[in-house]
Each structure stands twice: as C-alpha cells, then as structure tokens.
Amino acid sequence: MSPDTELRDPVSREQDGAPGDPTVAGARSSRRRDAVIVVVALLVGMGGFAAYGAVTDPDGPAPAAPIDADLEPVTPLAEAGSSSVAAGSPAASAVEAVDAFLSAEADGDFEASFALLSEAQRSTYGSVPAWRNAHADFFPVVGHRLVEADDGTIRTEVEYRSSLDEVVGLVPARATVEWVVVQEAGGWAVDFDASAVQPIYPDDAAAAEAVRDWATDLQRCEEPVQYEAALVATADLVRAAESLCDSDGRIGAGPARTLDEFDASPLVSAFGTDALAWARAVELDGPAELTVVVAPVDDRWVVVGLLPA
C-alpha cells in the first residue's frame, strides 16, 4: 500500500519519492530496517568475541544469548517461505473486501486479513505467520470509515494508533487510503501493497497555537506538553527555552512553515527524511527567540525540537 507520511495504515510500505508523496501500504519506514541492520552487525561482532572467549577459556561459562524484550518473534525461514499458501476467501464485493480486511486488521485477526489478500499478495507474504511478522513494519489499524466507492475506486479514512519515535518515525493518527482490489476466485480481494496512503495532519494554524501554549507554560514555570523523549535541540537552545520561566513580555508565534526553509539536519537525523513532510516550524517571538518544531502525534501538534531563530 502507499502512504504520504503501530490500515496499521491500511498498513504502509515506504518508497523513495518527494516528501509528501504517497507511499506503499506495506511498511512504515526504513528507519526500523536500518536499526535492525546495525543491531545485526553489532551482534555479529559480539559473536566473534564470544567464540574467542569459548576457545581461550574452555572451562568458563557459555556466553548467554542477548535478549531484547521489545523484539517481536520471527518466524523461521522454512515456515515463512512455505510453498503451501493458505487459501483465500474473496468477498462478495470490492467494498466488502476492503471493509472486512480493515476490520480484521483492527481486531488483530491476521489469519482473516491474510485470507482477503489477492493470490499474488498471499504468495508475496508466503504464510499467515509471515504476514503476522510483517506487521512489525505496518501502521496499526484502529478503525476506518468509507469515504468513496465509485467506478472501481474505494477510498477510506483509516485511523491508526499514532506514535513517534526515533526508530520507526511517525505513525499518523489518520490517513486517506485509496485501495486497489482485484476480482478473482468468484469474488474480490485486496492488493495491499498497491494501495496508496495519504496521511492526514492537523491544520497548520493549530501548530502555531500549540507552540504559543508550550511557550506560555514555560513562562509560567509549568511543565509544557512536548515530546516524551528529549527534545531534538542543542544545550544552548534548551537553556534559551528554560529562560522563559518567570520572564516578562508577550509571547508571539509566527505562521507554521515546512522544514525546507531551515537547516533541519538534526530533525532528519533523529526522525528520518519523512520529517521534512510532516514536521512544521514556528518562530517564537518574545523573551526568547527560537524556532520551535512540532510533529502531528495523536491528531495534535506536539513540540519535538528547537532550531535557532
């Protein structure tokens, strides 16, 4: 499927393209894959040292395998690549196929959603366990509603479990998804990876309001609403923000702007190039002059970083 920015979207796979272009519905972002590559490389290196220790100290305890409680179980290759693909269960109409697919995704019934994939897609993913494992890179679907069904076009608004982190990046709260369905085996099935996802972000005017509220809370020496992890900012910029506490003067906020007007390398480094599409920058005017960067998490703008004025 394709989005613009745990349908997990319908569920969305990243493609190269200009920021804001729809992506494929199969995956969230390449940042998770990059992180996995780094982890694997580190584990290979660690394995080398463990093997050396076992040879030089045969009486010592065997090295314990590293455990990451956050990693989802991975299906063995033999199972994931099984030549026997489960039979499909096409729906009576194209609309029913999309509706049943999204309902199954929201319920976590991956056997049912797999059965509603086209034959080609079931062959691509291989098996129900492999399809389930693939959801590590999908936007987690919470709900959906039909927007349009006309001349073979089925468009839905899909609600996701929104989140932001420095491995996956942004999962939007909502997106418009245009589905591709195919007629086969006497019914209709979903061509998941061909469907296009266009994230829906809050209005830009709300970004300036969110920044003004954030700065006002700081001026009152209150805890502001912001990114749960550390802000993407230099120590000097953090101190400038903290200087708002007990300061005098009116706080003003300019209009929301995209990051292409700024040196946004710190944000891109933290959240990936997708940040150029979803982030907004608002220039703060008052006791402290800063450029405040916000992200659309849970359908509202949240402060995630600071740039020089």
Side-chain angles (χ1 to χ4, degrees):
M1 188 163 155
S2 343
D4 236 14
T5 89
E6 194 179 215
L7 91 175
R8 277 183 180 202
D9 170 352
V11 199
S12 172
R13 203 187 289 269
E14 186 181 38
Q15 291 179 329
D16 293 334
D21 288 346
T23 331
V24 180
R28 314 194 219 194
S29 166
S30 63
R31 293 180 63 75
R32 175 189 288 270
R33 293 190 292 276
D34 292 344
V36 169
I37 290 170
V38 171
V39 170
V40 169
L42 288 173
L43 290 178
V44 169
M46 292 169 65
F49 283 109
Y52 177 79
V55 171
T56 56
D57 186 11
D59 297 326
I67 297 175
D68 186 340
D70 294 331
L71 291 180
E72 299 183 18
V74 177
T75 303
L77 289 179
E79 183 179 358
S82 170
S83 59
S84 111
V85 176
S89 300
S93 70
V95 171
E96 287 180 30
V98 171
D99 181 63
F101 177 84
L102 287 172
S103 295
E105 286 290 308
D107 292 341
D109 187 349
F110 302 130
E111 183 174 353
S113 61
F114 182 82
L116 286 158
L117 294 175
S118 67
E119 181 179 358
Q121 287 284 275
R122 284 184 282 112
S123 295
T124 295
Y125 287 98
S127 66
V128 173
W131 168 247
R132 180 184 297 109
N133 288 345
H135 282 67
D137 288 326
F138 293 172
F139 291 172
V141 177
V142 174
H144 71 281
R145 69 179 183 88
L146 180 67
V147 175
E148 179 185 6
D150 185 42
D151 296 331
T153 297
I154 299 175
R155 188 174 292 110
T156 61
E157 182 177 307
V158 180
E159 182 183 353
Y160 304 112
R161 188 178 304 112
S162 182
S163 63
L164 176 67
D165 63 49
E166 296 184 20
V167 174
V168 172
L170 177 76
V171 175
R174 295 178 297 138
T176 298
V177 183
E178 189 166 308
W179 294 90
V180 174
V181 290
V182 296
Q183 198 166 13
E184 61 183 30
W188 292 85
V190 174
D191 188 344
F192 178 71
D193 288 347
S195 301
V197 180
Q198 186 75 34
I200 300 171
Y201 302 133
D203 189 82
D204 280 6
E209 183 179 349
V211 168
R212 193 162 35 243
D213 290 345
W214 172 84
T216 300
D217 286 342
L218 285 174
Q219 192 174 37
R220 294 170 178 165
C221 302
E222 297 176 357
E223 192 73 26
V225 175
Q226 61 185 35
Y227 183 46
E228 291 182 358
L231 293 181
V232 178
T234 64
D236 287 344
L237 291 173
V238 171
R239 281 192 290 270
E242 291 172 346
S243 72
L244 284 168
C245 180
D246 272 339
S247 63
D248 296 323
R250 176 183 170 277
I251 292 176
R257 296 152 66 185
T258 56
L259 292 187
D260 56 7
E261 301 182 43
F262 303 87
D263 176 9
S265 53
L267 278 300
V268 170
S269 177
F271 301 117
T273 55
D274 284 351
L276 298 175
W278 52 252
R280 298 293 182 268
V282 176
E283 292 183 317
L284 199 62
D285 183 28
E289 295 186 352
L290 297 164
T291 298
V292 183
V293 181
V294 292
V297 183
D298 280 336
D299 228 7
R300 62 174 181 166
W301 293 105
V302 177
V303 173
V304 296
L306 304 172
L307 296 173

